[in-house]
Amino acid sequence: DGALDAASARLAAGAADAAPAKVVDVVIVEGDRAPRVAALPLVALRSLSAVRVFLPPDLRRPEARAAVAAAVEEVGRRFSTKGGAPSLDPDRDLGLSKKEPSYAALAAAAAAAREALAAAPPGATASVNAVRRRRDLRDAAKALRAKARDAQTLARGDELAKMKETLRALGHATREGVISLKGRAACELNTADELVVAELLMDGAFSRLDAATAVALLSCLCYGEPPKEGAAPPPLRAPLRAALDA
């Protein structure tokens, strides 16, 4: 079971996807054991030979598998003095350089990667498990960022719902979400607290004040340095109380 064990090891090391797209039937010939047929994904094959052996149409018959084993033994005998059967060369045997324009660049990049790996000292390259662990951590971080964005969106949604409910309670919007006259007045204001000023306007608080008192009251609604302790002048006490109540 050496060939099958080697193929299984390559699959376990991550050489293939969870669901291989292409599966082929291969004849396992090992020593004196009877030839067997196994279905393997293409990524489990370590290499291909340039020597082609024609297979019978039905490999379920023992004599058909024996014929394949005899052909494989004959190939091994003929090339025994040449270091074994030649490997399939994608460019020389298949002519991929002429058929696929991008093959030359990809082949050069693969050759450069093999040379770099061969020249690297032992232990200089990262293990497959380390690369897989890094990928898992990156995916987990991405999922956590998405979860944080969803939580922030939910929190903003709750805050927005509370703000809408407050505007409805104050009469700036109707239950159907339509902006009322008070709400339109608040939209035109540009002060520290538009809602308070809109309440004062709609209540007619400024219609009873002279210009100086109205300016003094409005100044209380703008941000500034904390005022010194002391009671407000008598003319401003009633407007200030109205602003505090609003």
Side-chain angles (χ1 to χ4, degrees):
D1 297 331
L4 290 177
D5 293 340
S8 300
R10 283 191 289 277
L11 288 173
D17 296 333
K22 184 65 175 178
V23 177
V24 294
D25 293 334
V26 296
V27 179
I28 308 298
V29 180
E30 290 183 321
D32 297 334
R33 300 184 60 179
R36 294 169 294 161
V37 178
L40 294 177
L42 285 177
V43 292
L45 302 179
R46 183 173 58 185
S47 62
L48 297 176
S49 174
V51 180
R52 182 178 181 182
V53 175
F54 291 93
L55 300 179
D58 188 3
L59 292 175
R60 292 175 296 180
R61 296 183 295 113
E63 55 270 20
R65 296 195 296 271
V68 174
V72 172
E73 292 178 0
E74 180 62 20
V75 170
R77 185 185 65 79
R78 292 187 181 185
F79 290 94
S80 60
T81 59
K82 301 179 181 180
S87 298
L88 183 68
D89 187 273
D91 194 14
R92 182 185 66 248
D93 299 323
L94 301 179
L96 289 184
S97 296
K98 298 179 180 179
K99 299 178 181 178
E100 298 291 341
S102 60
Y103 169 75
L106 295 176
R114 286 193 293 268
E115 292 178 0
L117 289 175
T125 57
S127 65
V128 174
N129 292 333
V131 175
R132 185 179 294 112
R133 176 62 176 168
R134 180 180 179 182
R135 181 197 60 191
D136 294 341
L137 291 175
R138 184 172 60 249
D139 294 342
K142 183 177 180 180
L144 289 175
R145 285 193 294 268
K147 186 176 181 180
R149 286 195 299 269
D150 294 341
Q152 188 176 12
T153 302
L154 181 61
R156 290 178 178 176
D158 294 341
E159 183 179 357
L160 180 60
K162 294 178 181 178
M163 293 172 64
K164 290 181 177 180
E165 187 63 29
T166 301
L167 291 176
R168 294 190 186 101
L170 294 176
H172 292 268
T174 64
R175 283 295 172 183
E176 292 76 18
V178 180
I179 303 299
S180 63
L181 178 61
K182 183 188 293 187
R184 294 183 182 276
C187 293
E188 298 298 330
L189 299 174
N190 185 17
T191 63
D193 199 328
E194 294 84 355
L195 297 182
V196 174
V197 177
E199 290 290 335
L200 293 175
L201 281 175
M202 301 307 295
D203 291 342
F206 293 99
S207 63
R208 300 183 295 270
L209 304 178
D210 55 28
T213 305
V215 171
L217 177 60
L218 289 174
S219 67
C220 299
L221 302 175
C222 298
Y223 176 77
E225 295 295 332
K228 297 180 180 180
E229 295 183 0
L236 294 179
R237 291 178 184 177
L240 183 58
R241 174 55 58 186
L244 295 177
D245 293 340

